[in-house]
Every structure is written in structure tokens, then in C-alpha cells.
Amino acid sequence: MEQEKQLAKLGLFDAKVPRYTSYPTAPHFNNDVTPDTYKAWIEAIPTGSQVSLYVHVPFCRRLCWFCACRTQGTSTLSPVATYVETLKGELKILKASLPEDVTLSRLHWGGGTPTLLDPGMMEDLAGAIFDVAPMAADGEFSVEIDPNEIDNARLAVLAKAGMNRASIGVQDFDDEIQKTIGRIQGYDITRDAVDMIRAHGVKSVNADILFGLPHQTQARITESVQKLLSLSPDRVALYGYAHVPWMAKRQQMIPSDALPTPQERLALYETARKLFLWDDYDEIGIDHFATKTDGLSVAQRNGTLRRNFQGYTDDTADVLLAVGASSIARFPQGFAQNAPATSAHTGAIRDGRFSTSRGHTFTDDDRLRGRLIEALMCDFRIDADEIVDRFDISRAELNEMFSKVMAEFPDVLALESGALVIPEATRPLTRIIARAFDAYDMSKAQHSAAI
């Protein structure tokens, strides 16, 4: 109880902070990054590099009320087929600018619902991607899979194309919660999908589950987590539901009075967290759990854990390319985001150009602060030696930054051998502490709650 009072005093239950999957965060992108900028950044990739590629498919058969992602519903595959042709056109434009001998360290299909594509579309899209760049020998090809939108025919195509990691959205298995959030997906359907995935030789399975949902109690989240654990996922993301109906209009379907209080949210998170730890999962960062042999656990032990738009990753590629409407690419030079609207994105590709509509060019200060925030989010510590070696900052200047943050969070942080450390007891404050290193004014932007 005393710890909860301290967390409350420091703003855990009422602060609005980003998830820091990027720095600066997307609300601070601008229009200075153009298609020509994006093209120049692609051309500057060194020959023979390994890069990552994200493919965005913004279509869903149904729109879940809880989801705040940029998606659109469709009852037919006609717009999906048109969109796949746009992706293929975009990949051709990408290939024309990409240096030689580039390979993919990671390939991820996200959405939306990528498994809405029929087998022929999947085969065409995979072929177009690998015509641009082949997978690296140790590369990882992952796909977000909706258990309601998958079958053996589609899994056969994905497995043949090289998919070796599947990501399943669970959210919660409770019937009342599913009805309230507009996501009907029973345990049996999910179990059968996981069994099919593994039967096709895909050995790594991720799962997403949410806390902070309407009508969610500690008993209910316990039951859902235990059901999920029976499927033996290799990696789990335990995300907090962000209720932002002013941004995601469909969330207006969810009754606000059925949501847990901030204090109840923390209890829900801790209940789920303990269950994963009791089942011998490693705790990864602020909201992931993984088996001892999963890549995230290995990266955490090696000190190579990173954070990107998909959350935590063991991918160390300097470049993340992105195709599809609203998708965001990352380069050493900065971020570049495609036009959010499918129509605008399609129009640009048909004209033979990238649809880049905004982004951000890094300053030296951005790179420094981005790494400080990433270190806290991944390792709960900032190693002063690493920062001084990598960036143009003196130890005295860095110590001054540390002192200011420690003064802002008294009795919360520690200095250990020159490293700024967040002790385990105060790690729920990680995102709030990370914000102290954010040079942009985040208080004016609407973001998800800290817990």
C-alpha cells in the first residue's frame, strides 16, 4: 500500500505519456520529410546491408471496438486485392532505389488483418517482397494472425514463403469482455489456430493480451492468462488498454463506467505479471514476457534488446523499411511515414512515386535522447560509459542530466557505478521517468495512460 501511495504521488495513475516506441513520437513528425527525402535515405543504405521490412495491411473483416489502429472494415476482398497490387507497385519503386545485395533480417506483416488475404494474394505479395530483397540466412518472417481469419490453405502459403514466427491477438478470453470490446474469439478457436500454425512447422508463436479492459477483474484476467499459458506461447505482450474515444471513434461503443480504475489497472497488470513469472517466463522491459530461449530473452541477456514501432525486438538492423498506407520507416537519418489514407497512398504509387507525407530528421540531440529513453525502456538503466562513448556529450553534462531527473523523482532512481538505474519496485514509473529525457512538449498531446 505504501508503494502504491508513492507511485500515485509521482503521477502513475493520472499521467498521460507515450509508449516510446519511437523518439520523437509520431505526433511530433512534420512535413519536412518528403518522397525525395525518403528515396535519398534508401539510396544511402550501404551495399550488402541487412534491413528490416514492415508491410501494413489496414483491412479487417470486422472492426473491433477496442482497437485504435488505423484500419478499415471490408465485407469483400475486392479492395484488398486492389491494395495488394498497390503494395506490389510500391515494392517495385523501392527496388529501383535500394542498393545491391541487401537482405532482410526481419520481415513483418501487420495490420489490420494480413491473414484476410487469400492464398493467391499472399503468394503474390511474398514473391514481390523477395524480388526486392531475400531473407537473410538467420532472418525472421512474422505475420499477425487473426484466429478467426486463418485456415490451412493460407498457412501453407505463409509457411512455404518462410514464415517462422506467428503473432496471435488474444486480448481476453472472457465472454462478457469480448462482447463489450467487440472482439468475439473463443479459446477453442485460438487453440485450434495455434495448433494449425505449429502443424505447418512454425515454431515460434507470439500472443498479445490486454489488461485494463471493461469488466475485467483479477479473477477474470487470471483465468485468461492461464488459458493463454496452456498454449505455451514463446513470447507474450501484456499491453494496457488505452481508452481514447476522442481519437478512436469506435471506442465510443465501450462503456467508460465499465473500465477499471487506475489502481485496479495496476492490480490487473501485477496479477498477470506474476502468473507469467511463476510459469518461468523472463520479464522483458515494461510489458513483454518470453521463454528463456526466445530471441527477446537472449537479447536482454546480451544487452542488445531494442525498441521499435512493434514494441520490443532483438533486431539490430539500422534500417526499418515500411510499405503500405500509414506505415513508418526508420533510418539513421530519421523517420518517414507514408500517407495515412489508403486512397492518397494508392494515388502516389500509381504516379510512380513514394507516398511519404511526413516524418522527422534526427538532430544529434534526438539521437542522444532517443538512446537514453530506449535504454530505460529496455534495460531500466542508462550506462554512462556507453553514452559518453557513443555521443558528443561529456560525462559532466550527462551527470547533470542524471541529477535533474533524480531531483524530479526523489527516492525513485539510483546511481550504480555511474549508471542511472530504475529499481524493480519503481519500474511501473518507467515511461514517466523516460519522459523526463524527452525534449518535446508531450503534455499537449493525447497519449495512452502510463499504466
Side-chain angles (χ1 to χ4, degrees):
M1 183 62 69
E2 193 61 37
Q3 180 190 353
E4 186 174 302
K5 288 181 180 178
Q6 182 190 25
L7 296 176
K9 183 179 179 181
L10 291 168
L12 178 66
F13 301 130
D14 50 27
K16 305 292 182 182
V17 292
R19 295 189 186 277
Y20 285 120
T21 52
S22 71
Y23 181 81
T25 55
H28 294 281
F29 290 1
N30 55 58
N31 297 324
D32 294 341
V33 177
T34 67
D36 287 341
T37 309
Y38 183 48
K39 184 174 184 292
W41 288 351
I42 293 171
E43 291 173 343
I45 296 171
T47 300
S49 295
Q50 285 194 2
V51 303
S52 298
L53 175 63
Y54 173 72
V55 180
H56 188 62
V57 180
F59 295 94
C60 293
R61 187 82 64 186
R62 67 194 188 289
L63 295 179
C64 303
W65 301 335
F66 74 90
C67 182
C69 297
R70 182 174 289 276
T71 58
Q72 57 194 83
T74 180
S75 58
T76 72
L77 285 181
S78 178
V80 182
T82 300
Y83 183 77
V84 170
E85 290 304 310
T86 298
L87 291 177
K88 289 163 63 178
E90 185 176 5
L91 288 163
K92 287 182 180 178
I93 299 172
L94 174 61
K95 181 180 179 180
S97 297
L98 198 66
E100 295 181 353
D101 299 326
V102 168
T103 57
L104 301 178
S105 62
R106 297 291 187 277
L107 169 62
H108 183 73
W109 294 9
T113 309
T115 50
L116 195 64
L117 277 61
D118 67 26
M121 295 177 195
M122 289 179 170
E123 191 169 18
D124 282 353
L125 180 56
I129 291 169
F130 297 132
D131 184 54
V132 175
M135 291 297 302
D138 58 349
E140 185 175 280
F141 175 12
S142 57
V143 178
E144 294 176 14
I145 292 178
D146 181 349
N148 292 302
E149 285 289 347
I150 197 62
D151 52 32
N152 276 305
R154 284 177 280 188
L155 278 174
V157 171
L158 291 173
K160 183 179 179 182
M163 180 182 73
N164 50 15
R165 183 178 290 276
S167 184
I168 299 286
V170 170
Q171 321 321 335
D172 195 287
F173 286 121
D174 184 85
D175 290 341
E176 182 182 13
I177 294 174
Q178 288 187 4
K179 291 175 183 176
T180 306
I181 66 174
R183 169 82 171 201
I184 306 302
Q185 180 186 311
Y187 170 77
D188 291 347
I189 291 173
T190 307
R191 179 201 59 210
D192 292 347
V194 172
D195 288 345
M196 273 196 296
I197 289 166
R198 289 184 169 135
H200 282 275
V202 180
K203 296 181 179 179
S204 297
V205 176
N206 299 356
D208 295 348
I209 191 167
L210 295 178
F211 69 92
L213 291 170
H215 304 301
Q216 203 173 44
T217 63
Q218 291 185 61
R220 284 179 167 180
I221 200 170
T222 295
E223 184 176 2
S224 288
V225 170
Q226 288 176 332
K227 286 182 176 178
L228 177 58
L229 287 170
S230 74
L231 305 178
S232 300
D234 300 271
R235 185 183 298 179
V236 178
L238 175 63
Y239 291 132
Y241 167 62
H243 192 60
V244 287
W246 58 89
M247 291 175 58
K249 300 301 183 185
R250 71 189 78 164
Q251 289 188 354
Q252 295 175 2
M253 302 290 291
I254 296 176
S256 298
D257 58 2
L259 295 170
T261 66
Q263 289 80 2
E264 289 169 340
R265 283 171 63 92
L266 179 60
L268 290 168
Y269 171 80
E270 287 297 335
T271 297
R273 172 181 175 269
K274 289 175 181 176
L275 290 170
F276 290 120
L277 296 180
W278 285 341
D279 226 49
D280 204 30
Y281 281 73
D282 285 338
E283 188 170 11
I284 310 294
I286 63 170
D287 53 19
H288 278 55
F289 300 85
T291 59
K292 305 294 184 187
T293 57
D294 184 81
L296 289 187
S297 290
V298 175
Q300 181 170 255
R301 291 193 295 269
N302 293 343
T304 56
L305 187 66
R306 294 293 178 262
R307 194 154 171 83
N308 65 16
F309 294 107
Q310 282 76 58
Y312 289 103
T313 180
D314 55 349
D315 182 26
T316 57
D318 290 333
V319 173
L320 168 64
L321 299 172
V323 298
S326 80
S327 62
I328 304 175
R330 186 193 190 284
F331 297 84
Q333 299 93 329
F335 296 117
Q337 182 172 21
N338 282 345
T342 305
S343 58
H345 176 69
T346 298
I349 301 304
R350 284 178 177 169
D351 289 342
R353 56 183 173 84
F354 292 116
S355 78
T356 312
S357 62
R358 64 184 196 137
H360 181 87
T361 302
F362 293 144
T363 64
D364 289 342
D365 188 63
D366 290 334
R367 294 186 178 93
L368 167 64
R369 292 178 181 273
R371 178 54 194 154
L372 295 174
I373 289 171
E374 182 183 53
L376 287 178
M377 297 292 293
C378 292
D379 306 317
F380 304 112
R381 62 183 286 127
I382 299 173
D383 188 301
D385 289 339
E386 178 216 338
I387 300 302
V388 171
D389 287 345
R390 285 182 56 182
F391 300 96
D392 185 19
I393 185 172
S394 69
R395 193 169 296 273
E397 291 170 321
L398 183 60
N399 286 339
E400 184 178 354
M401 293 180 75
F402 285 177
S403 295
K404 287 181 179 179
V405 175
M406 291 184 74
E408 187 174 342
F409 298 94
D411 303 320
V412 170
L413 300 166
L415 279 177
E416 297 178 2
S417 302
L420 184 69
V421 177
I422 305 177
E424 185 173 351
T426 55
R427 286 178 184 174
L429 293 166
T430 297
R431 285 161 58 194
I432 296 177
I433 296 168
R435 184 179 58 179
F437 290 99
D438 190 335
Y440 298 87
D441 184 7
M442 302 310 300
S443 63
K444 295 180 181 178
Q446 295 288 351
H447 289 288
S448 56
I451 268 290

